Amino acid sequence: MGSYKYCCCFTRKFRWDEADPPADLKAAFDALADERGQIGPEQLRRFLNEMQGDDDVEQVIEKILQQPHRRQSGKVSRQIFVLQDLYHYLFSDELNPPIQSQVHQDMSAPLSHYFIYTGHNSYLTGNQLSSDCSDVPIIKALQRGVRVIELDMWPNSTKDNVDILHGRTLTSPVDLLKCLKSIKEYAFVASPYPVVITLEDHLTPHLQAKVAEMVIETFGEMLYYPNSETHEVFPSPESLKRRIILSTKPPKEYLETLSSKKEKEYQNRSISIEEDDWGELPDMKAQIESYEHEDDKSDQDAADDDLAAEDDDEHKIRQAPAPEYKHLITIRAGKPKGSLKDALKVDSNTVRRLSLSEQELAKAAASHGPDLVRFTQRNMLRIYPKGTRVTSSNYNPLIGWMHGAQMVAFNMQGYGRSLWLMHGFYKANGGCGFVKKPDFMLQDGPHGEVFNPRANLPIKKTLKVKVYLGDGWRLDFKQTHFDAYSPPDFYTKPAFQQTV
């Protein structure tokens, strides 16, 4: 019974009702019970063997005998069981834990064949403009199973060390070395498969060399980097178990970006490719449109614009890049140049990573959907939130997944249905942070065609989930958690229904 005061002198009382055993459990018990509504050890063994498939039946029976409600009623020593005993057993996390998903997919394919659990601005504790930067959200993400951590690197105030912060905002910095040490400590607590650190680089060559020293010294043998500057194919998650890899733009390409930015400041500011080549914003289906109500103020995200705001840009261009730093990059990134068609060209001799904002993806999906799918068969595609999501909200991940994007980057410190969908998606395959793409996204048809996400295809299967029973939620919340004058009133509703 819960009591709540309101209007200073009045009291309201609410009774807590525990859920009754469901009808089908009652029927199963009645089929085994005698006329007094009881079963003995033999009937319980039969139930555990035939219906539950338990192997160590005797140990389970002993644990049932020791349940708290039996001790309170003095029934510990009696080898007689009632319906309530069976009900408590079925809903006990200790006695009857949920079936744990195991890694069951082939993990020996190239990295580009997997969707990868990806974070965005992983160091932020809250909003994108004024929250603190810390290693705590990085630790939480790794404990959840996130496999891609993003760090924005900027020179500190004295230009002799490296800070992690969201550039050109009021966010407070955190030291790079502290983040690297936390990544090393927590990288593999939830999954043995590789962790990718995407570095957003705003550093001088001198500081890039310092980063290389920090990374090598911190990770040691855990750090994987290639023998050559290019890959013909990415390595597999299996071959990279318990390894850490880096992904960023090579220093030379980064400095070229700075140089070209100087020229573009005198022209009409726009994204780096022609609007006609990208196509019009797509008329997406209602399911996708529901995520696209925010104002489209900018196609650039501070996390991936790669444009330094330092006064010495030209001086940095004249300096030589740090070769040690460049050598450590396993997944080489780059912004698109020229038309969208050019950006999505597949080179059979090398693989790379391309980054697009959620808005750029939407435009590309409208006119070049199959090209995106073909590109992601060998190469990596990273999608990141638009810059106007200052509250660390997220977007619809299905748009990126259905076009083959491996790294759909999310603000893990956010909240909402999109983030719940992301977390739920990566519960698959043992929660290891890698989910294999379906074969139809990786294979060409008889005439060289690839999967077209916008094609009207026949429905093959509809997934429906039935909520069987929910109980015990009240134990996770204080009685005044939601309302000072009444207890929580829990209910469920479907987040989405997916038809394939």
Side-chain angles (χ1 to χ4, degrees), residues 25-88:
L25 178 59
K26 291 179 181 179
F29 183 84
D30 291 341
L32 300 171
D34 57 23
E35 63 276 2
R36 292 175 297 177
Q38 300 174 339
I39 62 174
E42 193 58 40
Q43 288 82 9
L44 182 57
R45 289 189 188 94
R46 179 181 163 192
F47 174 85
L48 294 174
N49 271 320
E50 296 179 4
M51 303 191 71
Q52 291 298 104
D54 284 318
D55 297 325
D56 196 352
V57 173
E58 298 304 322
Q59 184 179 359
V60 173
I61 292 177
E62 184 61 30
K63 288 183 177 180
I64 293 176
L65 289 171
Q66 298 298 325
Q67 288 187 91
H69 76 280
R70 288 182 62 89
R71 291 198 300 267
Q72 293 170 4
S73 61
K75 297 179 180 179
V76 174
S77 61
R78 297 175 59 190
Q79 298 282 312
I80 296 174
F81 306 92
V82 297
L83 176 61
Q84 204 66 21
D85 295 324
L86 200 58
Y87 178 60
H88 277 278

Side-chain angles (χ1 to χ4, degrees), residues 60 151 229 251 303 380 388 463:
V60 173
L151 301 177
E229 292 188 2
M380 305 287 282
T388 54
L463 174 64

Side-chain angles (χ1 to χ4, degrees), residues 68-333:
H69 76 280
R70 288 182 62 89
R71 291 198 300 267
Q72 293 170 4
S73 61
K75 297 179 180 179
V76 174
S77 61
R78 297 175 59 190
Q79 298 282 312
I80 296 174
F81 306 92
V82 297
L83 176 61
Q84 204 66 21
D85 295 324
L86 200 58
Y87 178 60
H88 277 278
Y89 155 72
L90 290 175
F91 285 89
S92 168
D93 287 339
E94 178 186 358
L95 302 181
N96 188 38
I99 298 173
Q100 296 295 320
S101 172
Q102 302 294 323
V103 176
H104 58 88
Q105 296 175 344
D106 176 18
M107 303 300 288
S108 61
L111 287 173
S112 56
H113 288 202
Y114 300 85
F115 300 116
I116 309 174
Y117 207 175
T118 303
H120 171 256
N121 289 354
S122 304
Y123 49 86
L124 287 179
T125 58
N127 69 66
Q128 304 286 313
L129 295 180
S130 61
S131 64
D132 292 333
C133 301
S134 169
D135 64 330
V136 173
I138 296 173
I139 294 171
K140 289 181 178 179
L142 292 170
Q143 289 175 329
R144 185 181 282 274
V146 173
R147 297 292 86 191
V148 182
I149 299 296
E150 182 185 28
L151 301 177
D152 283 18
M153 303 188 302
W154 294 81
N156 67 355
S157 57
T158 56
K159 311 294 184 185
D160 61 353
N161 209 341
V162 181
D163 281 340
I164 301 299
L165 74 155
H166 198 195
R168 308 188 198 93
T169 68
L170 300 178
T171 55
S172 59
V174 61
D175 186 65
L176 169 63
L177 187 58
K178 183 177 182 180
C179 294
L180 295 179
K181 288 181 177 179
S182 294
I183 292 173
K184 178 182 180 180
E185 182 176 356
Y186 292 93
F188 306 111
V189 296
S191 169
Y193 291 99
V195 168
V196 182
I197 305 176
T198 58
L199 298 174
E200 192 58 46
D201 182 354
H202 303 273
L203 304 177
T204 62
H206 168 70
L207 289 178
Q208 288 172 351
K210 190 167 187 175
V211 169
E213 293 175 4
M214 288 184 190
V215 168
I216 293 173
E217 183 177 343
T218 301
F219 297 127
E221 294 298 320
M222 295 171 63
L223 182 67
Y224 170 86
Y225 51 91
N227 295 323
S228 61
E229 292 188 2
T230 60
H231 288 288
E232 289 188 6
V233 64
F234 286 117
S236 70
E238 187 67 31
S239 67
L240 294 173
K241 265 188 172 181
R242 308 193 73 84
R243 304 297 292 271
I244 290 172
I245 61 178
L246 302 184
S247 176
T248 187
K249 283 186 177 182
K252 180 180 179 181
E253 183 176 345
Y254 169 67
L255 297 177
E256 288 174 351
T257 301
L258 291 177
S259 179
S260 63
K261 196 261 183 179
K262 285 289 184 180
E263 300 177 6
K264 291 187 179 182
E265 285 180 347
Y266 298 99
Q267 303 172 3
N268 292 329
R269 184 172 178 82
S270 64
I271 60 176
S272 61
I273 47 185
E274 295 298 325
E275 187 72 22
D276 290 342
D277 290 324
W278 284 97
E280 300 295 328
L281 279 170
D283 182 16
M284 307 300 284
K285 297 180 180 180
Q287 180 187 18
I288 295 177
E289 287 179 340
S290 63
Y291 293 86
E292 302 297 332
H293 293 315
E294 298 187 26
D295 291 336
D296 182 4
K297 296 180 181 178
S298 170
D299 280 340
Q300 297 295 323
D301 175 78
D304 227 312
D305 58 9
D306 297 316
L307 302 175
E310 305 298 328
D311 293 333
D312 58 344
D313 281 352
E314 293 180 355
H315 175 64
K316 287 191 288 184
I317 293 172
R318 290 193 294 269
Q319 298 183 53
E324 298 86 358
Y325 177 78
K326 183 176 182 179
H327 182 62
L328 298 179
I329 302 170
T330 298
I331 302 177
R332 295 174 176 263

Side-chain angles (χ1 to χ4, degrees), residues 115 284 288 373 397-405 441 451 453-454:
F115 300 116
M284 307 300 284
I288 295 177
V373 174
L398 291 171
I399 306 175
W401 290 335
M402 67 194 292
H403 289 86
M441 299 193 77
F451 170 68
R454 304 195 75 188

